[in-house]
């Protein structure tokens, strides 16, 4: 097992008391404008017999490819409801915009669905986000689960409705043969169940020479850098003042990452953070003779040099095997020292 990262699901009493004293049981500091306090709505945690709906609001996935996730979630004691978008194909998309929007809407409105697992990411949420009606969802919140393109749902729901969501692997990441899965695959998939069940979790990462030390408390927000930039200036724009922000991305060239980070800095999204977490960044190799000449570490530190909050690199989140489930919009404790970094969820 790669012990660079590990999952701890012990009861973290000391950290819980500290954070709850700062936030209250269900409050976070800072509104969309960074002023008055607002309440974060926590969807009910799941118990055996509850239903997880699966749909494909972004790219195409076959019914065969989701079978391993169905079997495993049913083994956890949950019922599974399959959406109409699964197996649908409109070129690269999981059905037409109308099919994907109506399917996701059905999951949002169905009172028997306790959580919605997005089958995969890819591309497509931005095409349907404005077609969705969240009125029923606001009254009866449920967990929305996914990452990558699903970041658009996380930013939209967090900024518009202050409802917690889960950034995690999706159906296309479940191993087809659980007995052959690596320990890291098993830990990351099981972290979804632990978060859905409301178990306390703590994630850690090894030290990095680029880390900036510190210990802070704040609500966790973030996701895919490209999607956060795409949401900028829209109703889905992510508000970061007073928050712990996490970022990840994949298959982007360094100049593109640099441009997107400049967008965050120039739009003020980096100015008033409590802390910054940098997850996995799979970088496209530069064309020979046209190298950018900097690393992701260089680019990030350049953008935050004017601020004094802690920064953590190489965190186990992103388009990689070590991609653990994180609760967006929920108070967390981020601690970074010479021994590495840790992120503890509270509530």
């Amino acid at each position: 097992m790669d012990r660079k990262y590990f999952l701890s699901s012990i009861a973290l009493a000391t950290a819980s008391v500290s954070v709850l004293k700062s936030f209250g049981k269900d409050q976070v500091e800072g509104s969309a404008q960074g002023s008055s306090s607002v309440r974060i709505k926590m969807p009910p945690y799941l118990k055996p017999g509850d239903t997880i709906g699966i749909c494909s609001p972004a790219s195409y996935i076959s019914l065969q490819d989701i079978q391993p996730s169905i079997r495993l979630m049913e083994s956890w004691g949950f019922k599974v409801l399959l959406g109409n978008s699964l197996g649908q194909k409109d070129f690269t998309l999981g059905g037409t915009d109308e099919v994907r929007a109506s399917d996701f809407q059905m999951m949002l409105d169905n009172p028997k669905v306790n959580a919605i697992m997005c089958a995969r990411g890819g591309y497509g949420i931005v095409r349907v986000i404005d077609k969705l009606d969240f009125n029923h969802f606001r009254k009866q919140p449920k967990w929305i689960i996914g990452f990558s393109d699903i970041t658009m749902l996380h930013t939209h729901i967090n900024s518009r409705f202050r409802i917690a969501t889960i950034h995690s692997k999706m159906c296309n990441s479940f191993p087809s043969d659980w007995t052959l899965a690596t320990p890291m695959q098993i830990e990351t998939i099981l972290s979804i169940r632990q978060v859905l069940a409301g178990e306390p979790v703590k994630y850690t990462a090894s030290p990095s020479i680029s880390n900036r030390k510190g210990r802070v408390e704040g609500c966790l927000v973030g996701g895919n850098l490209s999607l956060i930039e795409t949401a900028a200036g829209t109703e889905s724009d992510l508000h970061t003042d007073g928050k712990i922000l996490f970022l990840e991305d994949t298959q982007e060239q360094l100049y593109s990452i640099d441009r997107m980070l400049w967008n965050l800095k120039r739009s003020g999204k980096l100015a008033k953070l409590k802390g910054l977490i940098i997850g996995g960044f799979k970088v496209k190799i530069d064309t020979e003779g046209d190298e950018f000449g900097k690393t992701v570490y260089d680019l990030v530190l350049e953008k935050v040099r004017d601020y004094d909050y802690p920064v953590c690199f190489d965190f186990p989140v992103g388009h990689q095997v070590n991609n653990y489930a994180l609760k967006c919009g929920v108070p967390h404790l981020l601690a970074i020292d010479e021994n590495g970094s840790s992120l503890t969820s509270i509530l």
Side-chain angles (χ1 to χ4, degrees), residues 51-81:
T51 298
I52 298 177
I54 302 177
C55 60
S56 188
S59 290
Y60 162 78
I61 191 169
S62 71
L63 287 168
Q64 181 179 354
D65 286 341
I66 66 170
Q67 295 307 310
S69 66
I70 295 173
R71 290 193 296 269
L72 189 58
M73 287 189 285
E74 288 179 339
S75 76
W76 294 343
F78 302 132
K79 299 176 183 177
V80 174
L81 176 66

Side-chain angles (χ1 to χ4, degrees), residues 147-148 167 223-226 246-250 279-281 317-319:
F147 85 111
S148 192
H167 181 281
N224 183 264
L225 176 59
S226 300
F246 71 95
L247 301 171
E248 64 84 27
D249 217 319
T250 187
F281 272 79
V317 61
H319 289 72

Side-chain angles (χ1 to χ4, degrees), residues 129-183:
I129 189 72
D130 294 325
K131 300 177 185 291
L132 300 175
D133 181 349
F134 288 91
N135 284 329
H136 183 79
F137 172 78
R138 293 175 68 179
K139 297 174 184 176
Q140 295 185 335
K142 58 189 71 177
W143 292 105
I144 307 296
I145 310 164
F147 85 111
S148 192
D149 195 61
I150 311 305
T151 295
M152 182 69 69
L153 286 171
H154 295 312
T155 63
H156 188 84
I157 290 170
N158 181 272
S159 294
R160 292 287 306 280
F161 313 124
R162 305 296 189 275
I163 295 173
T165 57
I166 298 175
H167 181 281
S168 81
K169 289 182 172 181
M170 298 168 285
C171 296
N172 61 330
S173 296
F174 281 59
S176 57
D177 188 340
W178 190 251
T179 63
L180 299 178
T182 66

Side-chain angles (χ1 to χ4, degrees), residues 228 232-233 237-240 245 264-265 267-273:
I228 291 173
D237 200 356
L238 183 65
H239 305 293
T240 60
L245 175 66
L264 296 192
K265 182 174 176 63
S267 63
K269 286 184 170 59
L270 300 179
K272 298 180 181 179
L273 294 179

Side-chain angles (χ1 to χ4, degrees), residues 90-213:
D90 182 39
F91 295 95
T92 187
L93 300 171
T96 64
D97 292 348
E98 290 72 23
V99 165
R100 289 179 290 112
S102 63
D103 195 25
F104 199 82
Q105 188 69 58
M106 182 274 291
M107 294 291 182
L108 287 173
D109 295 343
N110 189 335
K112 295 182 180 180
V113 173
N114 306 100
I116 304 172
M117 167 75 80
C118 298
R120 63 160 298 181
Y123 173 73
I125 294 293
V126 70
R127 296 182 59 87
V128 301
I129 189 72
D130 294 325
K131 300 177 185 291
L132 300 175
D133 181 349
F134 288 91
N135 284 329
H136 183 79
F137 172 78
R138 293 175 68 179
K139 297 174 184 176
Q140 295 185 335
K142 58 189 71 177
W143 292 105
I144 307 296
I145 310 164
F147 85 111
S148 192
D149 195 61
I150 311 305
T151 295
M152 182 69 69
L153 286 171
H154 295 312
T155 63
H156 188 84
I157 290 170
N158 181 272
S159 294
R160 292 287 306 280
F161 313 124
R162 305 296 189 275
I163 295 173
T165 57
I166 298 175
H167 181 281
S168 81
K169 289 182 172 181
M170 298 168 285
C171 296
N172 61 330
S173 296
F174 281 59
S176 57
D177 188 340
W178 190 251
T179 63
L180 299 178
T182 66
M184 183 61 70
Q185 284 179 299
I186 293 172
E187 285 188 357
T188 52
I189 295 296
L190 289 181
S191 74
I192 301 173
R193 185 202 64 77
Q194 291 173 305
V195 169
L196 280 173
E199 298 176 10
V201 291
K202 177 181 180 180
Y203 304 111
T204 69
S206 296
S208 169
I209 193 172
S210 300
N211 281 357
R212 292 203 321 208
K213 299 175 184 178

